[in-house]
């Protein structure tokens, strides 16, 4: 069965960086994009960007451009999201989710059908 | 960016009654070349990640109870729960995946009356 398992909770100081991992299993890792979505406590869902595990191509929401980097290690079916220059407003639950299907060089937009369990990132001095 | 607006923000419905949640996009999410609406609905219970309920606006994900249905096209969409059960208490989100950034509605909190 498809599973996305994320790394554990992190506590960081303002200005630091955090790197969250998302290990996929139960499907061909390179065939689907990984998206990252965050949610501050009691708030709604905010899409951060996508990463294609086959090509390494990425697309980021403008809000996070220059501060976020999404990468992968296909040898261990793991995607990463690194966020720099952390501030208190970045305190949130971060989720990875499976998205677009890619085959033969083409990718097809689709819903986010499987989600990781979430990683709580707390930014506090 | 496509803005997704849900209504109402919160909703209280009696057990066994119908619940209806609306979602409006600031521009059409209907892709004319395949006649598909790039619109999904998610359910999120406290302490859990979102769970996909519907995609292509009206296709139920395998395993989702038949009391959940989705409708609409273009810019106006509806999620309906035909007979509310206690386990349906949650926050519901619509999301467009027609163009990046893939935006979500603000959420609708569904409670038992």
């Amino acid at each position: 069965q498809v599973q996305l398992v994320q790394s554990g909770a992190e506590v960081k100081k303002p200005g630091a960086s955090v790197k969250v991992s998302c290990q996929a299993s139960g499907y061909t890792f390179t065939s689907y994009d990984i998206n990252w979505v965050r949610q501050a406590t009691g708030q709604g869902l905010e899409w951060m960007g996508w990463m294609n595990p086959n090509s390494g191509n990425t697309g980021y929401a403008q809000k996070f451009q220059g501060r976020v980097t999404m990468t992968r290690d296909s040898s261990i079916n793991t995607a990463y999201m690194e966020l720099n220059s952390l501030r208190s407003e970045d305190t949130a639950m971060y989720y990875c989710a499976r998205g677009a299907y890619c085959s033969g060089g083409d990718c097809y937009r689709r819903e986010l059908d499987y989600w990781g369990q979430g990683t709580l990132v707390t930014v506090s001095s | 960016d496509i803005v997704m607006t849900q209504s109402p923000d919160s909703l209280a419905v009696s057990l066994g009654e119908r619940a209806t949640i609306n979602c409006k996009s600031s521009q059409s999410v209907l892709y004319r070349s395949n006649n598909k609406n790039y619109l999904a609905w998610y359910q999120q219970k406290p302490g859990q990640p979102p769970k996909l309920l519907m995609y292509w606006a009206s296709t139920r994900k395998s395993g989702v109870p038949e009391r959940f249905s989705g409708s609409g096209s273009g810019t106006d969409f509806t999620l309906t729960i035909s007979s509310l059960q206690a386990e349906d208490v949650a926050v519901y989100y619509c999301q467009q995946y027609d163009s990046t950034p893939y935006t979500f509605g603000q959420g609708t909190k569904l409670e038992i009356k």
Side-chain angles (χ1 to χ4, degrees), chain A:
Chain A
Q1 72 284 20
V2 174
Q3 276 194 304
L4 299 174
V5 178
Q6 298 183 222
S7 48
E10 302 265 12
V11 179
K12 296 291 182 181
K13 293 194 183 303
S17 298
V18 68
K19 191 170 186 177
V20 179
S21 68
C22 171
Q23 185 168 40
S25 61
Y27 72 97
T28 302
F29 179 63
T30 50
S31 291
Y32 294 83
D33 285 358
I34 292 290
N35 290 248
W36 291 88
V37 176
R38 77 177 187 180
Q39 183 174 39
T41 302
Q43 302 301 307
L45 301 168
E46 182 176 33
W47 182 83
M48 300 179 68
W50 61 268
M51 188 272 302
N52 181 293
N54 186 46
S55 64
N57 289 344
T58 56
Y60 304 137
Q62 187 164 7
K63 175 177 180 176
F64 300 102
Q65 287 273 5
R67 218 162 57 93
V68 71
T69 306
M70 297 177 187
T71 57
R72 88 292 190 203
D73 182 343
S74 298
S75 69
I76 55 171
N77 291 349
T78 299
Y80 302 93
M81 186 283 299
E82 184 170 23
L83 189 61
N84 304 317
S85 302
L86 290 169
R87 33 211 190 229
S88 58
E89 310 89 89
D90 294 318
T91 294
M93 187 71 80
Y94 289 76
Y95 296 103
C96 60
R98 192 176 79 161
Y101 172 71
C102 299
S103 175
D106 293 321
C107 288
Y108 305 92
R109 302 183 308 264
R110 54 191 293 282
E111 66 284 358
L112 304 179
D113 60 351
Y114 289 93
W115 294 62
Q117 83 277 18
T119 297
L120 180 62
V121 175
T122 302
V123 183
S124 174
S125 55

Side-chain angles (χ1 to χ4, degrees), chain A residues 35 37 39 43-47 50 61-62 95 100 109-118, chain B residues 31 38 40 42 44 48-50 52 55-56 61 93 95 97-104 106:
Chain A
N35 290 248
V37 176
Q39 183 174 39
Q43 302 301 307
L45 301 168
E46 182 176 33
W47 182 83
W50 61 268
Q62 187 164 7
Y95 296 103
R109 302 183 308 264
R110 54 191 293 282
E111 66 284 358
L112 304 179
D113 60 351
Y114 289 93
W115 294 62
Q117 83 277 18
Chain B
Y31 191 51
Y38 284 61
Y42 302 88
Q44 187 178 32
Q48 297 184 16
L52 176 68
Y55 56 99
W56 302 134
K61 183 181 178 183
Y93 295 93
Q95 180 227 355
Y97 48 99
D98 180 60
S99 62
T100 57
Y102 296 149
T103 44
F104 292 87
Q106 79 277 18

Side-chain angles (χ1 to χ4, degrees), chain B residues 7-8 10-23 41 43 53-54 66-71 77-92 108-113:
Chain B
S7 62
S10 63
L11 181 62
V13 174
S14 300
L15 289 173
E17 296 299 304
R18 179 185 301 263
T20 301
I21 299 169
N22 300 300
C23 174
W41 288 97
Q43 175 193 64
L53 294 177
M54 316 285 302
E66 290 186 4
R67 64 181 180 272
F68 290 89
S69 64
S71 63
F77 301 91
T78 299
L79 175 71
T80 300
I81 307 172
S82 60
S83 177
L84 189 71
Q85 304 299 304
E87 61 264 32
D88 300 334
V89 169
V91 179
Y92 292 83
T108 295
K109 186 174 184 179
L110 178 59
E111 299 172 313
I112 305 293
K113 186 186 290 183

Side-chain angles (χ1 to χ4, degrees), chain B residues 29-38 56 73:
Chain B
V29 298
L30 173 63
Y31 191 51
R32 298 217 175 265
S33 66
N34 60 11
N35 201 36
K36 288 182 181 290
N37 288 282
Y38 284 61
W56 302 134
S73 185

